[in-house]
Amino acid sequence: MDRYIKALRAVRDNEPLVQCITNFVTVNDCANIILASGGSPSMAKDIREVAEAVRGVQALVCNLGAIEFIDSMIAGGKEANILGKPVILDPVAAGGTSLRREAAERLLKEVHFTAIRGNASEIRFLAGQEVSGSGVDVSKVDAITEENLTDMVEVAKSLASKIGSVIAVSGVIDIITDGTSVVVLRNGCATMARVTGSGCMLTSLIGAFCGAMPEDFFSATVAAMAAMGVCGELAEEQRLEKGTGNATFRIDLIDAVFNLTEKQLMEGIKYEVF
Amino acid sequence: MDRYIKALRAVRDNEPLVQCITNFVTVNDCANIILASGGSPSMAKDIREVAEAVRGVQALVCNLGAIEFIDSMIAGGKEANILGKPVILDPVAAGGTSLRREAAERLLKEVHFTAIRGNASEIRFLAGQEVSGSGVDVSKVDAITEENLTDMVEVAKSLASKIGSVIAVSGVIDIITDGTSVVVLRNGCATMARVTGSGCMLTSLIGAFCGAMPEDFFSATVAAMAAMGVCGELAEEQRLEKGTGNATFRIDLIDAVFNLTEKQLMEGIKYEVF
Amino acid sequence: MDRYIKALRAVRDNEPLVQCITNFVTVNDCANIILASGGSPSMAKDIREVAEAVRGVQALVCNLGAIEFIDSMIAGGKEANILGKPVILDPVAAGGTSLRREAAERLLKEVHFTAIRGNASEIRFLAGQEVSGSGVDVSKVDAITEENLTDMVEVAKSLASKIGSVIAVSGVIDIITDGTSVVVLRNGCATMARVTGSGCMLTSLIGAFCGAMPEDFFSATVAAMAAMGVCGELAEEQRLEKGTGNATFRIDLIDAVFNLTEKQLMEGIKYEVF
C-alpha cells in the first residue's frame, strides 16, 4: 500500500507536466483530470513542435483515438525514449479497423512504451490474438470476468514480457503486470462505461502518476488505476444518492480525483497480488 | 404514443452503436448523450477507416459542422446506403457560407439521408429558399412561430417528398414529416438555445433512435425529438429551482436523457398530428 | 464603474456574434461562456470560409492553441481589420516552442489586434523579453506578484504603445492597459488555474464584450476581465461550501457568468487605476 500512497503524494508534490497527443472527443476531460490530480497538461500535437514540447514535460501520453496524429506520436515518443521519459499508450479500438491495426503495429515497432492501458479487446489484439470488438468499447466476448481472469492475466504477462512495458487491462476487474508481478484490482463501477473517455482519462492519469514517480512505473500505474477506480465508486455513491446521470457522474468523478485523500485511497482500494 | 415508447425501449434494449462524423465543438456532448440514451458512440472520422467502421454500426450521423470531413461523410454515407443502414444529417449553418452551401448540395446529391434535422433557416436553405441566417443559430426571421407554422410545414413536407427523407425542423415548435404524415411537437425550453450543441446532440439522439428501431424511422425521429424536448423541460425545472445557469443545464439535460422514464415521456410529450 | 456596467449590459442587449478560431481542448467551454454572457458563438475555422464568416460577426477571437489554423487567423483577422471589427488574440504558450514563436510573430505582423490577453510569460514574450515557461501555464518566475507589478505594468504599457493594442495580463493580479491608462484588478481565485481553458474562456469573453461595445475597447476588456474574476470568486465560494472540485468549479464558473448581475459586478470588482 505504501508505494501507492507515495505515488499519489508524488503527483501532488511534483506537479508533473504531462503532454498528451489525444483525440478531440475527450481531450478536455483528459486535461481536467490531469489538473485534478495535481499535474499540469499540455495538449500540443503538431508534428512541428511535439518533440520540442516533450523536452519540457515529465511524461507523454499517446492516444490512438487521435489516429491522424500517429506521426506526432512517433516523433514525440522517440524523443521521450531518448530522454528516458515515460511514454504511455492508449490503444483505442486498436483492432477495430485495418488503419488502427497498422497504426498500433507501427507505434509498437518505433516507440518503447513505459505502460499501455487498454480494455481486454485492445490488449488481446496487441498480444496477437483474434478479437471481435468493432468499436471503442470492449466486446462482450472479451470482457474480463472471474472465469477468464487467469487467461487474461497470462495474455497480459506475456505481452508485458515481450515488449518490456507495464500492461494495464481495465474493466470490471483490472489487471496490471510488468511481466513478473501481477496486481488485480476490483474497484470501479458500471457507470464508468456510460461516460465517454473514462478510458482516455485513466490513461492520462497514468501519465501523471508515471511522470511524478519515475523510479517505479509499475506502482505508479497501479496507483493511478486504483485512484480512478476508487473515485468511480465515490462518484457512483453520489449518483445514487442524488439520482443524477452519466453527465453529473463525469463531473463528480473528476472532482473526486481533485479531492482524493490518502485515507480514501488506502481504505477504498481492493487489490490482490495475483 | 405506443410507437414512441417502443422507440425509447428499443434504444435501451438494442444499445445501438452510432457512428458520428461531427465537429470538435460538441463532439464530447454528442458521445455522452448517445451513452445517456443507452446507445454506444463511435466518433471515428478518418477517411481511411470510416467506411470500414460503418459496417459495424447501426446508424451514421453526419454533422456539417465538421466541414473538413465532407469526404468522410460521403464515403461513410455511401457505405451505409449500400448496407441499408440509417444515415442522419445535421446541416449546421448550411446556408451560412458558400463553402457550406456547396458541401450541403454535394452531400444531398451523393448520399441518401434517412433523416435530416435542422433549424428553420437550415431546412429552408435545403428546400431551396432564400435564408438570412449568418451563423449556427436560426435567424429571427426564419424561426418557427404559430403564425408561420403552416408555411414551414409545407416547406418541410415538400423537401421530404423531394428527397425521400424524414425532415425534422427544431425550434420553439418542432415539425417532423416524411412528406405525408406530419407531427408537431411543442416541448423544450428557451435555455436549450443557450447551450452550444443542443442541436448536434439532438441529431445524435435521432441517430441512436433510428439505429435502434430501423423498421420505423419516422416514429424513431419523433420519439428522439420528443425525448429531447421533455428532457429540456425537466432540466429547465431544475435550473429554475436551483438558480443555476446554462452549464449546469447542459449537464442536467444529459442526465435527464439518462434517467428518462417511459412515464415521463408519455406524460410530457406535447404532440399534435398536423 | 459605470462604463463596466454599461459593457455588461451591452453584451446582454446586443447579443454579439463572436467568431472564434480556437483549439480543440477548450472550444466547447469557449462557446458556452460566450452563450452564458449573452453572446452567440461561431467556431468556424476553415480557411475556405473564415473571411466570409467574419463578415457576419461582431468580433473575432484568435487562439494560438489552434496552431494549425494560423492561416485562418490571418485571413479572418485581415478581413476584420478591413471591416473595422475587433480582433482579440490569445497567445497560448507563445514563447513555448519555436513553432509558436514564429506563429506569434507572423500574427502580430499581419493582423492588428484590438486586444491581446495572455499570462505574464506570454505577454513578456510578445514584448521581446526572455521567458522561461515551457508550457501553457505561466512560469513561476514570471507570475505577477505585488513585488514585480510595477515592472510588469511597464512591459505591458510599452507593448500596448508599440503595437496599438489593449494589453491584458491575467494572473493573481490582472493588468489592463492601452499604453496610457492602466487598470489593475485583484479578483479571481487559485482554482481557476486548475481548470483547463480558463484563459481561453476569458479571451472569448473579451471578444463578446468588445463585440458588444465597439466604442470603448479598453473598458470592454476591463469589464470582461472583472466579470471573469468576480465569477471565479462566486464559483469558488460554492466549491468551498459544497466541497466539490475543479470540474464542478468549471460548471459553476460558466453558470456565474450566465447569472451575473450588475450589482454583483459592481460590488465584487476590486480595481485600481494604476
Side-chain angles (χ1 to χ4, degrees):
Chain A
M1 258 324 289
D2 282 0
R3 68 190 76 180
Y4 309 139
I5 298 300
K6 196 180 149 201
L8 180 64
R9 205 171 290 170
V11 180
R12 270 89 183 251
D13 289 348
N14 302 346
E15 301 175 17
L17 190 51
V18 183
Q19 172 88 12
C20 299
I21 303 171
T22 194
N23 70 76
F24 76 139
V25 188
T26 66
V27 59
N28 182 272
D29 289 334
C30 290
N32 274 325
I33 207 162
I34 290 171
L35 283 161
S37 75
S40 179
S42 162
M43 275 26 204
K45 60 191 183 330
D46 194 301
I47 186 81
R48 296 167 293 171
E49 67 175 347
V50 74
E52 190 180 349
V54 161
R55 282 172 219 144
V57 302
Q58 276 70 59
L60 173 67
V61 176
C62 299
N63 181 304
L64 198 60
I67 190 79
E68 63 275 40
F69 291 96
I70 293 298
D71 291 337
S72 293
M73 293 181 201
I74 290 172
K78 283 187 165 173
E79 185 73 18
N81 281 172
I82 289 167
L83 300 170
K85 297 184 181 194
V87 191
I88 323 295
L89 176 65
D90 189 327
V92 177
T97 62
S98 56
L99 176 66
R100 287 179 192 234
R101 282 189 288 275
E102 283 158 28
E105 275 158 22
R106 212 178 129 211
L107 280 172
L108 288 191
K109 213 168 87 185
E110 304 221 31
V111 177
H112 171 254
F113 290 99
T114 310
I116 300 176
R117 196 286 323 160
N119 65 37
S121 294
E122 291 156 356
I123 298 299
R124 281 188 188 280
F125 168 76
L126 295 185
Q129 297 202 333
E130 286 280 317
V131 289
S132 54
S134 60
V136 294
D137 294 315
V138 66
S139 79
K140 276 169 190 169
V141 183
D142 295 331
I144 311 178
T145 60
E146 298 293 349
E147 285 67 41
N148 68 16
L149 178 59
T150 308
D151 175 55
M152 190 70 230
V153 166
E154 285 314 310
V155 171
K157 276 180 74 171
S158 132
L159 178 61
S161 298
K162 188 177 152 202
I163 63 176
S165 304
V166 174
I167 298 296
V169 196
S170 60
V172 175
I173 309 171
D174 295 335
I175 299 164
I176 304 99
T177 179
D178 59 4
T180 311
S181 306
V182 179
V183 166
V184 163
L185 297 170
R186 286 183 179 78
N187 288 103
C189 69
T191 308
M192 294 173 87
R194 301 283 299 273
V195 174
T196 193
S198 53
C200 303
M201 284 190 259
L202 174 51
T203 308
S204 301
L205 209 54
I206 294 173
F209 277 69
C210 285
M213 194 169 81
E215 68 276 19
D216 184 356
F217 293 131
F218 178 67
S219 299
T221 304
V222 174
M225 300 275 283
M228 189 72 170
V230 168
C231 289
E233 292 172 26
L234 293 167
E236 182 67 358
E237 270 175 43
Q238 291 201 50
R239 192 185 68 77
L240 295 172
E241 196 184 303
K242 297 185 288 190
T244 48
N246 62 333
T248 296
F249 177 86
R250 177 183 66 138
I251 301 295
D252 288 343
L253 177 64
I254 300 175
D255 275 5
V257 172
F258 186 92
N259 287 316
L260 183 67
T261 62
E262 298 179 1
K263 189 163 177 287
Q264 282 175 322
L265 180 59
M266 210 154 59
E267 294 181 356
I269 189 173
K270 298 179 194 124
Y271 83 113
E272 176 191 351
V273 177
F274 198 79
Chain B
M1 258 322 290
D2 283 0
R3 68 190 75 181
Y4 309 139
I5 298 300
K6 195 179 149 201
L8 179 64
R9 206 172 290 170
V11 180
R12 270 90 185 251
D13 289 348
N14 302 346
E15 301 174 17
L17 190 52
V18 183
Q19 174 87 13
C20 299
I21 302 173
T22 193
N23 71 75
F24 76 138
V25 187
T26 66
V27 60
N28 182 272
D29 289 334
C30 291
N32 274 325
I33 207 162
I34 290 170
L35 283 161
S37 75
S40 179
S42 162
M43 275 26 204
K45 59 190 183 331
D46 193 301
I47 185 81
R48 295 167 295 171
E49 66 174 349
V50 75
E52 190 180 348
V54 161
R55 283 172 218 143
V57 303
Q58 276 71 57
L60 173 67
V61 175
C62 299
N63 182 305
L64 199 60
I67 190 79
E68 63 276 40
F69 291 97
I70 292 298
D71 291 337
S72 293
M73 293 181 202
I74 290 172
K78 284 188 163 172
E79 184 73 19
N81 281 171
I82 290 168
L83 300 171
K85 298 183 180 193
V87 191
I88 324 297
L89 176 65
D90 190 327
V92 177
T97 63
S98 56
L99 176 66
R100 287 180 192 233
R101 283 190 288 275
E102 283 158 28
E105 275 158 24
R106 214 180 128 210
L107 279 172
L108 288 191
K109 212 169 85 185
E110 304 222 30
V111 177
H112 171 254
F113 290 99
T114 310
I116 300 177
R117 198 285 323 160
N119 64 38
S121 294
E122 291 155 356
I123 298 298
R124 280 188 189 277
F125 168 76
L126 295 185
Q129 299 202 332
E130 285 280 318
V131 289
S132 55
S134 60
V136 295
D137 294 315
V138 67
S139 78
K140 275 168 190 168
V141 183
D142 296 330
I144 311 179
T145 59
E146 298 293 349
E147 285 65 40
N148 67 16
L149 178 60
T150 308
D151 174 55
M152 189 70 230
V153 165
E154 285 314 310
V155 171
K157 275 180 75 170
S158 133
L159 177 62
S161 298
K162 187 176 154 204
I163 63 175
S165 304
V166 174
I167 299 297
V169 196
S170 60
V172 174
I173 309 171
D174 296 334
I175 299 164
I176 304 100
T177 178
D178 59 3
T180 310
S181 307
V182 179
V183 167
V184 163
L185 297 170
R186 285 181 179 80
N187 288 104
C189 68
T191 309
M192 294 173 88
R194 302 283 300 273
V195 173
T196 192
S198 52
C200 303
M201 283 190 261
L202 174 50
T203 308
S204 301
L205 208 55
I206 294 173
F209 277 70
C210 285
M213 195 169 81
E215 68 275 19
D216 184 356
F217 293 132
F218 179 67
S219 300
T221 303
V222 175
M225 300 275 284
M228 189 72 170
V230 169
C231 288
E233 292 173 26
L234 293 167
E236 182 67 357
E237 270 175 44
Q238 292 201 50
R239 192 184 69 78
L240 295 173
E241 196 185 304
K242 298 185 289 189
T244 48
N246 63 333
T248 295
F249 177 85
R250 177 183 67 137
I251 300 294
D252 288 343
L253 176 63
I254 300 175
D255 276 5
V257 173
F258 186 92
N259 287 317
L260 183 67
T261 63
E262 298 178 1
K263 190 163 176 288
Q264 282 175 322
L265 179 59
M266 211 153 60
E267 295 181 355
I269 190 173
K270 298 179 194 123
Y271 82 114
E272 176 190 350
V273 177
F274 199 81
Chain C
M1 255 326 288
D2 282 359
R3 69 190 75 182
Y4 309 139
I5 296 301
K6 195 179 149 203
L8 179 65
R9 206 171 289 170
V11 180
R12 270 89 185 250
D13 289 349
N14 302 346
E15 302 175 17
L17 190 52
V18 183
Q19 173 88 14
C20 300
I21 302 173
T22 192
N23 71 75
F24 77 139
V25 187
T26 66
V27 61
N28 182 271
D29 289 335
C30 291
N32 274 324
I33 207 162
I34 289 171
L35 283 160
S37 75
S40 178
S42 162
M43 277 22 206
K45 59 190 185 330
D46 194 301
I47 185 81
R48 295 168 295 169
E49 66 174 349
V50 75
E52 191 180 348
V54 161
R55 282 171 219 145
V57 303
Q58 275 71 56
L60 173 67
V61 175
C62 298
N63 181 304
L64 198 60
I67 190 78
E68 62 277 38
F69 291 96
I70 292 297
D71 291 338
S72 293
M73 294 181 202
I74 290 171
K78 284 187 164 173
E79 184 72 19
N81 281 171
I82 290 167
L83 300 170
K85 298 184 181 195
V87 192
I88 323 296
L89 175 66
D90 189 327
V92 177
T97 62
S98 55
L99 176 66
R100 288 179 192 235
R101 281 189 289 274
E102 284 158 27
E105 275 157 24
R106 213 179 128 211
L107 279 172
L108 288 190
K109 213 168 85 185
E110 304 222 29
V111 177
H112 171 254
F113 289 98
T114 310
I116 300 176
R117 197 286 321 161
N119 64 38
S121 294
E122 292 156 355
I123 297 299
R124 281 188 188 278
F125 168 76
L126 295 185
Q129 298 202 332
E130 285 278 317
V131 289
S132 54
S134 59
V136 294
D137 294 315
V138 65
S139 80
K140 277 170 190 169
V141 183
D142 296 329
I144 311 179
T145 60
E146 298 293 349
E147 284 67 40
N148 66 18
L149 179 59
T150 308
D151 174 55
M152 189 70 231
V153 165
E154 285 314 311
V155 171
K157 275 180 76 171
S158 132
L159 177 62
S161 298
K162 187 177 153 202
I163 63 176
S165 304
V166 174
I167 299 296
V169 196
S170 60
V172 174
I173 308 171
D174 294 336
I175 299 163
I176 303 99
T177 178
D178 59 3
T180 311
S181 307
V182 180
V183 167
V184 163
L185 297 169
R186 286 183 178 80
N187 288 103
C189 69
T191 308
M192 294 174 88
R194 300 284 299 273
V195 174
T196 192
S198 52
C200 304
M201 284 190 261
L202 173 51
T203 308
S204 301
L205 208 55
I206 294 172
F209 277 69
C210 285
M213 194 168 81
E215 69 275 19
D216 184 355
F217 293 132
F218 179 67
S219 299
T221 304
V222 174
M225 300 276 283
M228 189 72 170
V230 169
C231 289
E233 291 171 27
L234 293 167
E236 182 68 357
E237 269 174 44
Q238 292 201 49
R239 192 185 69 77
L240 296 172
E241 196 184 303
K242 299 186 288 189
T244 48
N246 63 332
T248 296
F249 176 86
R250 176 183 67 137
I251 301 294
D252 288 343
L253 176 64
I254 300 175
D255 276 5
V257 173
F258 186 92
N259 288 316
L260 183 67
T261 63
E262 298 178 1
K263 188 162 177 289
Q264 282 175 323
L265 180 59
M266 211 155 59
E267 294 181 356
I269 191 173
K270 299 178 193 123
Y271 83 113
E272 175 190 353
V273 176
F274 199 80

